Amino acid sequence: QDQEVKDIFGSIQYSSNALTLIANQALELVKLDNNEDLVFDPSQFDIHFEIKQIVKSLQVVASSSQIQLQLHTNFQEPFFVWYDKVRLYQLLYNLLGNALKFANHRIVISVNIIADSLFFEIVDDGQGMSEAELKHVFELNYQGKQSQVDTLSMGLGMHLCKRIIEKSNGTIEVSNLEQTGLKVNFKLDFLNVSNAVAYN
């Protein structure tokens, strides 16, 4: 019941998930270098619940840096989809982890489902990146100058995110806002389980 204890366990959970993710990404990129394709293991799950859990696990880390996480969706829980849950976690931990490094006070996460596609927008209020940095952001092992070296969110992570999104017939774009901050837009194609037959 103690809030401080809850926060400590929340931080431990985030660190554990992050370390597991980093280890798996390193192993996966070795396989990709050997020309092995990304493997998806789709299953039925409530995507609204999973997104909320991911944001909740990051909230402890955000609060420690006085950063507010705001989540907006256009759908209600539950909303079942047929996708790879691990891939969803990889994407959000990497992209939100990156936003946490650049943000000053706030990160706004918008998630919209249209037909069989998931549209994400992650906006932070940091200083953004130079145009030169934006050109290299998806390159393997690239680290932004304004970010501290962190394998979770840059380098391995951004490179792998692009591979996962492309494998999901989606697209990703990183851009600066007109005034201040960085915006990441990405799209995934998935199948609602009500009409899903197979996933290739």
Side-chain angles (χ1 to χ4, degrees):
Q1 299 300 317
D2 188 290
Q3 187 58 46
E4 184 177 1
V5 174
K6 286 183 179 180
D7 290 344
I8 290 171
F9 274 106
S11 181
I12 292 171
Q13 180 185 26
Y14 167 77
S15 298
S16 175
N17 290 341
L19 289 169
T20 301
L21 184 63
I22 290 168
N24 289 338
Q25 286 176 172
L27 291 171
E28 194 151 43
L29 287 168
V30 169
K31 292 180 180 179
L32 292 177
D33 277 345
N34 292 327
N35 297 318
E36 295 183 38
D37 199 10
L38 283 175
V39 176
F40 276 60
D41 184 19
S43 63
Q44 174 183 337
F45 64 92
D46 178 1
I47 196 168
H48 194 271
F49 174 79
E50 296 299 333
I51 290 171
K52 287 199 306 181
Q53 289 299 109
I54 294 168
V55 173
K56 183 178 178 181
S57 70
L58 290 165
Q59 192 68 59
V60 175
V61 179
S63 297
S64 67
S65 300
Q66 287 77 53
I67 297 173
Q68 182 182 11
L69 294 181
Q70 299 176 358
L71 175 63
H72 306 288
T73 65
N74 74 336
F75 54 97
Q76 299 296 318
E77 186 180 347
F79 191 94
F80 290 95
V81 298
W82 186 253
Y83 191 67
D84 189 321
K85 188 189 298 185
V86 173
R87 298 301 182 189
L88 179 69
Y89 267 70
Q90 283 182 305
L91 288 172
L92 294 188
Y93 264 95
N94 278 296
L95 296 174
L96 289 175
N98 190 52
L100 281 169
K101 293 195 304 177
F102 284 92
N104 290 323
H105 306 290
R106 184 176 67 256
I107 297 171
V108 180
I109 308 130
S110 301
V111 190
N112 294 293
I113 290 180
I114 302 174
D116 287 337
S117 294
L118 174 71
F119 294 86
F120 255 95
E121 181 179 270
I122 301 171
V123 177
D124 67 63
D125 63 348
Q127 297 180 26
M129 301 177 71
S130 69
E131 292 303 315
E133 287 180 299
L134 287 174
K135 291 179 181 179
H136 299 285
V137 71
F138 294 113
E139 292 179 6
L140 185 59
N141 293 326
Y142 180 75
Q143 297 284 342
K145 292 179 182 178
Q146 296 177 12
S147 74
Q148 310 224 348
V149 175
D150 180 351
T151 314
L152 171 62
S153 47
M154 295 288 283
L156 294 180
M158 293 299 285
H159 178 76
L160 188 57
C161 281
K162 191 171 188 292
R163 298 290 295 266
I164 293 170
I165 290 168
E166 290 175 346
K167 179 76 173 180
S168 304
N169 299 317
T171 56
I172 182 169
E173 180 181 351
V174 181
S175 59
N176 286 312
L177 299 176
E178 289 187 8
Q179 295 181 336
T180 181
L182 199 68
K183 177 171 68 174
V184 178
N185 288 101
F186 74 93
K187 167 184 171 288
L188 299 176
D189 282 349
F190 64 91
L191 296 175
N192 190 311
V193 294
S194 62
N195 56 26
V197 177
Y199 186 92
N200 298 316

